[in-house]
């Protein structure tokens, strides 16, 4: 799923639980944004229901995104989080640049942005 397409922040993607993805019984599938992963004083915390009422929202997702998301969820059938960390649990952004971004950039043949 493309978080940018849906307008989700990193913290919202990291805090997206499987139970917040509703694919059946609706005209369009939806994602309920109700929790985030926030970093404070060097520690990560799960924040239920976001910082403000505006942060809590339901987003309709188009069919092609729902198909990609369904395939992704099939790969991680026992995870609570939609996008689990490599060793389980929720994602942390600490090593994202070195662990994910740099290898993807190199594989695509793109020079560093530094």
């Amino acid at each position: 799923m493309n978080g940018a397409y849906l307008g989700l922040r990193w913290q919202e993607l990291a805090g997206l639980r499987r139970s917040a993805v509703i694919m059946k019984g609706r005209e369009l599938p939806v994602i309920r944004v109700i929790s985030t992963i926030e970093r404070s004083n060097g520690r990560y915390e799960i924040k239920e229901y976001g910082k403000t009422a505006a942060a809590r929202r339901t987003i309709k997702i188009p069919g092609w995104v729902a198909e990609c998301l369904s395939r992704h969820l099939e790969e991680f059938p026992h995870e609570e989080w939609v996008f689990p960390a490599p060793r389980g649990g929720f994602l942390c952004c600490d090593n994202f640049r070195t662990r994910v971004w740099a290898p993807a950039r190199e594989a695509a043949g793109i020079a560093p942005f530094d």
Side-chain angles (χ1 to χ4, degrees):
M1 181 180 86
N2 188 327
Y5 182 84
L6 299 175
L8 298 175
R9 299 178 303 123
W10 169 267
Q11 297 91 333
E12 293 169 335
L13 284 173
L16 187 59
R17 288 189 167 105
R18 188 181 277 279
S19 60
V21 178
I22 304 167
M23 299 249 205
K24 295 182 179 161
R26 293 183 151 265
E27 191 173 306
L28 279 177
V30 298
I31 292 174
R32 294 176 40 238
V33 180
I34 55 174
S35 62
T36 62
I37 304 297
E38 302 289 336
R39 186 173 178 177
S40 177
N41 299 323
R43 294 182 43 187
Y44 285 93
E45 297 179 36
I46 301 166
K47 298 286 185 177
E48 299 296 336
Y49 305 109
K51 293 181 181 179
T52 65
R56 297 180 295 272
R57 60 199 187 281
T58 299
I59 301 171
K60 292 180 182 179
I61 55 177
W64 67 270
V65 174
E67 288 176 28
C68 292
L69 185 55
S70 290
R71 286 193 303 268
H72 171 77
L73 291 173
E74 288 173 4
E75 291 181 42
F76 304 96
H78 303 294
E79 285 289 336
E80 173 184 8
W81 307 99
V82 172
F83 301 105
R87 294 184 183 153
F90 59 80
L91 283 175
C92 300
C93 65
D94 290 343
N95 296 327
F96 180 79
R97 184 175 178 151
T98 55
R99 185 174 39 86
V100 178
W101 180 260
R105 179 192 45 75
E106 289 172 13
I110 299 171
F113 299 152
D114 304 329

